[in-house]
Amino acid sequence: MSKVEEFEELRPLLFSIAYRILGSVGEAEDAVQETWLRFDGSSTRPTSAKSFLSATVTRISIDVLRSARARREEYVGPWFPEPLLSDPYQDPARAVELADSVSMAALLLLERLSPLERAVFVLREVFAFGFDEVATAVGRSESACRQLLVRARQHMRDGRPRFTADRQRRQELATRFFDALKDGDTAALRELLAADVQLVGDGGGKAPQWAKPVVGAENVARLLGTVFPLMRQIRVTFEPHEVNGQPGAVFRDRDGKVLHTMALDMLDGRIQTVRAVINPDKLGHIGPVADAWAVDREVKEARRA
């Protein structure tokens, strides 16, 4: 097998590792590309391409994350990971772990960890790497990695996201939610929302967003039931789509350009959190991006009409 073939076979795994460490599609793709350059430039073939490439992409991702942390501290408003519509790495034996680990809720919890803790947690807990492989990847002893994992687990345990386990039930709930949203049915929306539901948007100061999270079933239902019928008037559409392993949708303007994504967290038959990623810098990997400010002006004009 050639170097190119070896690398392409492992590319989905490498991207999935990098994305979970970085929370950014663009940065993960860059880390994978840099990994290829180092692999291609190596004069010797490693005994295990998987171990070598996984270790390389992990180290690159740790370095990128350390510099990204400073930028995120200056971020305007809530910061969410870039939405991922499909995870290229599939492992039927770990399908549940993979889906839950890429959810917005899980990735936001991972933000609490140090870069090393995050890398160790991702490699060991998500991808089931042996401690010898984890140690090689992060440049620490196996004993140190075990300690890092203990700390990471402690940080994650209390806030670890819980979701409705049955995928069919989640999909049914999402279908009812988006049907009610399309119809502007405030009463139906209210019935689907948890009492303490939160609606949160990430615009990064580059797109219209709510000044603070909208909290409570009545408030969220009233806002969604009012705004989205107005958006339909100006021919905004949405297509239900899995977002970060959870039910969600991609919203588009009249020209089919991406306006924002929406992801739903569900538990006990109710929607707990609605997260919208509106920042145009985080949507370009999905397709051409809409002018959210122009859409917002049209919505306001439709409201006044």
Side-chain angles (χ1 to χ4, degrees), residues 62-90:
I62 289 172
D63 289 342
V64 173
L65 182 60
R66 283 173 174 150
S67 63
R69 284 285 172 92
R71 296 195 303 274
R72 290 175 191 177
E73 289 175 1
E74 300 172 356
Y75 197 80
V76 177
W79 179 92
F80 292 159
E82 290 184 11
L84 185 68
L85 300 190
S86 62
D87 188 351
Y89 179 72
Q90 300 296 322

Side-chain angles (χ1 to χ4, degrees), residues 119-138:
V120 169
F121 187 89
V122 166
L123 292 176
R124 178 64 182 172
E125 293 290 284
V126 180
F127 295 98
F129 277 57
F131 274 107
D132 57 336
E133 296 173 295
V134 175
T136 298
V138 302

Side-chain angles (χ1 to χ4, degrees), residues 86-141:
S86 62
D87 188 351
Y89 179 72
Q90 300 296 322
D91 180 355
R94 300 186 64 78
V96 174
E97 292 96 329
L98 289 170
D100 284 355
S101 69
V102 83
S103 71
M104 289 278 183
L107 291 172
L108 288 171
L109 275 179
L110 284 171
E111 285 289 305
R112 302 179 183 180
L113 309 183
S114 72
L116 278 179
E117 288 171 345
R118 185 164 181 165
V120 169
F121 187 89
V122 166
L123 292 176
R124 178 64 182 172
E125 293 290 284
V126 180
F127 295 98
F129 277 57
F131 274 107
D132 57 336
E133 296 173 295
V134 175
T136 298
V138 302
R140 296 292 189 275
S141 68

